[in-house]
Amino acid sequence: MVMKMEKIIREKIKKEMQELKNKIQECYYSKSGVNEAEKYIKGLLSRAERKNGWQMSEILGESTPYKIQQFINRGRWDANQLRDVLRGYVNEKFRDETAVLVVDETGFLKQGKMSAGVQRQYSGTAGRIENCQVGVFMNYAVNDRFCCIDRRLYIPRQWTDDRGRCRKAGIPERYQFRTKTQMALDMIKDVYESGLPFEWVAGDSVYGADNRIQKYLEEKDKKYIFAVSGGKYVWIGCRQYPVKKIKQLLDGDKWVKISTGPGTKGEKVFEWQYVEVNCNVKRHKKYLIFRRGISEKPEIQGYIAYGDNETKIEEFVRTAGTRWTIEMNFAEMKGETGLDQYEVRSYDGWYKHITLSCVAHAFLTVLREQFGGLPELSSTYENTMAEFKKKRK
């Protein structure tokens, strides 16, 4: 019985990989290019300790890493076209009208000064200022399914002000400085125009500070919830208040306990309170929502939230909890599909590796959906059978 199930699963994996290969072939000029892309994805899904050229080539049976390195560094294919195929793949496999787009950034620690966009800057990965690259990412989250559907490499102003340095790193001549929030808005617009459905957008206080994102979503009738800092201002009636002032005036008797969803140790319950603020859209409302932990000296986090009159506080709270899926996504991609284990310095090389890592992770997410939770994303493509057998026992 177990052997029969193994055969069924093996065939499903093979079929899904072939389907993915058929979809990505439009991005490459030749059959050999498609084959190299398939190899690279399998290498990212392999048990290689590090998903670099040498270790992936060894596990794939290549005598040297040169073909893999050539494919990423000099291959004539467009990472943005592959990104569009990825988005279509997600649209086909688990599109949902209630999906949440989650935007966030992650750092990639680097040595030297040659990698595109590298400089000493804050890295959330390290929790401090380090020499690193920073990427802004967009997650597509539907319940317990989530994967990355877009990515942008942040190029600091000191780079865009030095065109010679940009040319050496392969940054396009036409590239103009974009803030992280502008990148996030660009990604949101691209998803909206692509037709991939979503209902919500969520993000941390970096993105909650940008009113342009909120204005665009209100124009498109999309709900949102963003964390905000105490320095953000909102209008209540005819007066403008900083969030930190409103936080000081919260009613101690109006806190209610609501769960943001299940965690590793049960439901994640916090206390919540909200204040309605001015909204310019009819039949919609905007709130400041505050969250505090259940402890003796809880910290209070504020959120700016927008929805129609039918949107209940519990729905805002659940969506706020969805924001953490992107942190889980980063952990899975760095642990399973080599997101941060690239050996490229160029702008184009970064996009190619990162996009293929996102494709590999989406493939794992689809497998998990097909197997009703198996295999877990903690298992890799190669040991799917072993993981399944272990769970069956």
Side-chain angles (χ1 to χ4, degrees), residues 63-240:
S63 58
T64 70
Y66 302 135
K67 286 181 71 175
I68 286 177
Q69 292 170 349
Q70 183 87 356
F71 173 70
I72 291 295
N73 288 309
R74 294 187 176 88
R76 296 180 59 190
W77 55 279
D78 186 348
N80 283 337
Q81 185 180 7
L82 181 61
R83 183 271 321 272
D84 293 344
V85 171
L86 165 63
R87 200 155 51 200
Y89 182 62
V90 172
N91 193 9
E92 179 183 317
K93 295 298 180 178
F94 51 87
R95 60 176 283 146
D96 194 296
E97 299 292 336
T98 65
V100 183
L101 300 183
V102 187
V103 291
D104 201 1
E105 62 196 64
T106 190
F108 303 90
L109 302 183
K110 291 292 169 184
Q111 296 180 349
K113 301 179 180 179
M114 302 300 290
S115 298
V118 71
Q119 72 169 19
R120 286 190 61 79
Q121 55 191 322
Y122 180 78
S123 166
T125 304
R128 59 184 181 272
I129 293 175
E130 287 283 357
N131 194 61
C132 65
Q133 295 170 299
V134 172
V136 180
F137 289 77
M138 173 168 287
N139 223 34
Y140 189 78
V142 181
N143 300 322
D144 61 344
R145 294 165 292 168
F146 50 86
C147 62
C148 176
I149 58 171
D150 206 349
R151 68 289 167 268
R152 305 288 165 102
L153 177 60
Y154 174 65
I155 307 296
R157 193 181 292 278
Q158 73 175 51
W159 272 80
T160 57
D161 288 345
D162 186 343
R163 302 315 302 183
R165 191 183 186 192
C166 285
R167 279 191 293 273
K168 289 179 181 179
I171 299 171
E173 288 287 343
R174 65 182 183 278
Y175 187 89
Q176 299 295 319
F177 175 74
R178 307 289 288 169
T179 66
K180 295 167 188 174
T181 56
Q182 286 173 322
M183 289 179 166
L185 180 55
D186 290 342
M187 290 192 288
I188 293 168
K189 288 179 177 179
D190 283 353
V191 174
Y192 181 83
E193 292 168 4
S194 76
L196 180 63
F198 66 95
E199 184 177 14
W200 290 87
V201 178
D204 68 15
S205 58
V206 172
Y207 308 97
D210 195 324
N211 292 329
R212 291 170 298 181
I213 295 177
Q214 296 164 34
K215 182 179 178 182
Y216 176 81
L217 293 171
E218 290 167 15
E219 289 173 352
K220 300 303 181 183
D221 197 25
K222 297 296 182 182
K223 303 173 185 178
Y224 61 74
I225 183 162
F226 295 101
V228 290
S229 67
K232 184 177 178 64
Y233 280 79
V234 295
W235 287 90
I236 299 178
C238 299
R239 293 187 61 184
Q240 200 175 24

